[in-house]
Amino acid sequence: MAEKDIKKEAKKADKCNEAESESSLFWADQIAEEVKGRAEKDPVLKKVVKENSYVVYDEKTPSGIIHVGSGRGWVIHDAIAKSMRALGLKAKFILSSDDMDPYDKPNKDLPESWNKYIGMPFRNMPSPVDGYESFADYYFMQCVEKFEEFGIDAEIESTGKCYDSGRFNKAIKTILDNHDKVKAIFERIYDKPYDKISFNPICEKCGRIATTRSISWDKKKELIRYKCEENLVDWAKGCGHEGEISPYNGNGKLPWKVEWAAKWPSMGVVCEFAGKDHFTRGGSRDVAIAIADEVLDYPPPYPSTRTTIGKGYEFFTVGGKKMSTSKGMGIGFAEISKYLSPRIIRYLLVRTRPHTSLDFMPEGRNDLILLYDRYDYTERVYFRKEDVEEKEYNQQKRIYELSHIGEIPKKMPVQIPLVLAATSLQIGLNEAGAIKVLRKMKHIPEELSGIDEHHVLERIRDAKNWLEKYASEDAKFTVQDEASKEIREKLNDNQRNALHKAAAAAKEISNDKELHNKFYEISQESGIEPKEFFKIAYLVLLNKERGPQLASFMLTLGEKATRLFESV
Ligand SMILES: [Zn+2]
């Protein structure tokens, strides 16, 4: 794609984003404002935020490798919490591991011997790798360990530990005491009889949680009678044990949809998004908001209200041949930084409104080049190096602030477009060589500050990754040590003559535009078409018919290039 087309595409994409926005505020700031407005008006929330600060909450079941799509939710919630802090509010993003959930299907990454744990809570299963507390801890921490690289500030919680500590006790009691209301909600939404008691104890005999059925709740003694049944679910077999147990302090859990509602007052949640699949009519959010409103008397978090579900965020996938794993699932969040720089992923997720679906394709098309160019544009706007309208400035400024990882530098870092970094790397052969080339091309000054050097090296590394994994063959080249015999034999006298003249010109002219014009003159004088001249020049230099812009490329290569032309 030509640079002009890339710019046009970028403008189109930006228009789409703008069209969705009714407010001139950046999306995360707009949400922060709305949540603040709610908390100021609603007496329940007013008290909650005063006691707890503004809790932006997200949760994930650690059932195995966590897909990159979940990373979208984490970046969204992190950006919202940051926007709230920018408003002067005390706000935090809490991410909880839903580690009380049962192991419900065999994990394809593990041997069959793990099937004996089916039906048990993830937190009570051993870790497949030494050094982690449990199965749940292992898979969850794979992602959390990457948070710093992605600039995600989150407080990490374990839902199981919250059960242990008694944080859910009050909500559990309210839900069990108000069984009639819970039953009425399920029957209303699903239009079929609901005969369960909303609590799943952990069987005291076999340790399973998926196989237990609560038979009765003794409100006075506060005890649950339960049976561990053989055929309650078809994927796990219970042991037949019958017992009586307190539902408090980690002896079991609430079923998912009820648990979601119980978390909100227990944790003081004011904002929690999830993938759009949860936000359908009759979906888990629909049930959870009814329970929060009618049973727990708590206003459901943004984007829901007591009566409306709201909208979840759209899917995020990263596609392409290299990214699909042998198991056929999409790429895991923990692995994505091997393929794409966290800086650029965070930028992509922050600049795109949550209700826009994202299927990012780093291979083939020019999406990745375009994304780097947009990142650089946003950075230039932030540092007032682009002449743009105030609205655009405000938008890009917030994108930059909320997507920047680490402290924002005082001065704009040196920018090297991805494609230029790739060219200099292919000429210079390694990082140090690429820096030398960029210096020679006058893209970077003789003396680079520490911050600038860090940025330039980062871009060179991203370019290396791009060349190795995604770039088309057109973008790749190797400067030849000598012109191939085959090419030398094919050249006629006119062509040889033109190349000799071009070598002489490159020694005399140091301005790339002048040299470029000179090449046209030379081809005319030598009686060959300019197109043909460029083709033979690239064949001699690169053993390919195309390459980077010839004049500046020759000047960068210097003697190496002139020698090749003279040798034919
Ligand atoms: Zn059992």
Side-chain angles (χ1 to χ4, degrees), residues 203 205-208 211 228 238-241:
C203 173
K205 200 167 163 214
C206 73
R208 288 190 175 78
T211 50
C228 182
C239 69
H241 176 75

Side-chain angles (χ1 to χ4, degrees), residues 202-209 211-212 226-229 237-242:
I202 297 174
C203 173
E204 296 150 284
K205 200 167 163 214
C206 73
R208 288 190 175 78
I209 192 167
T211 50
T212 55
Y226 73 97
K227 187 173 181 202
C228 182
E229 292 190 348
K237 223 174 163 155
C239 69
H241 176 75
E242 267 190 71

Side-chain angles (χ1 to χ4, degrees), residues 506-524:
K507 282 181 180 170
E508 268 177 31
I509 302 171
S510 60
N511 176 293
D512 59 346
K513 280 199 188 96
E514 261 175 60
L515 186 60
H516 182 71
N517 292 337
K518 187 73 185 170
F519 288 157
Y520 278 87
E521 253 174 56
I522 291 172
S523 44
Q524 225 164 22

Side-chain angles (χ1 to χ4, degrees), residues 394-407:
N394 290 330
Q395 191 79 4
Q396 297 298 327
K397 176 176 178 275
R398 288 304 282 150
I399 294 175
Y400 190 69
E401 286 168 345
L402 290 171
S403 62
H404 197 275
I405 296 164
E407 207 180 314

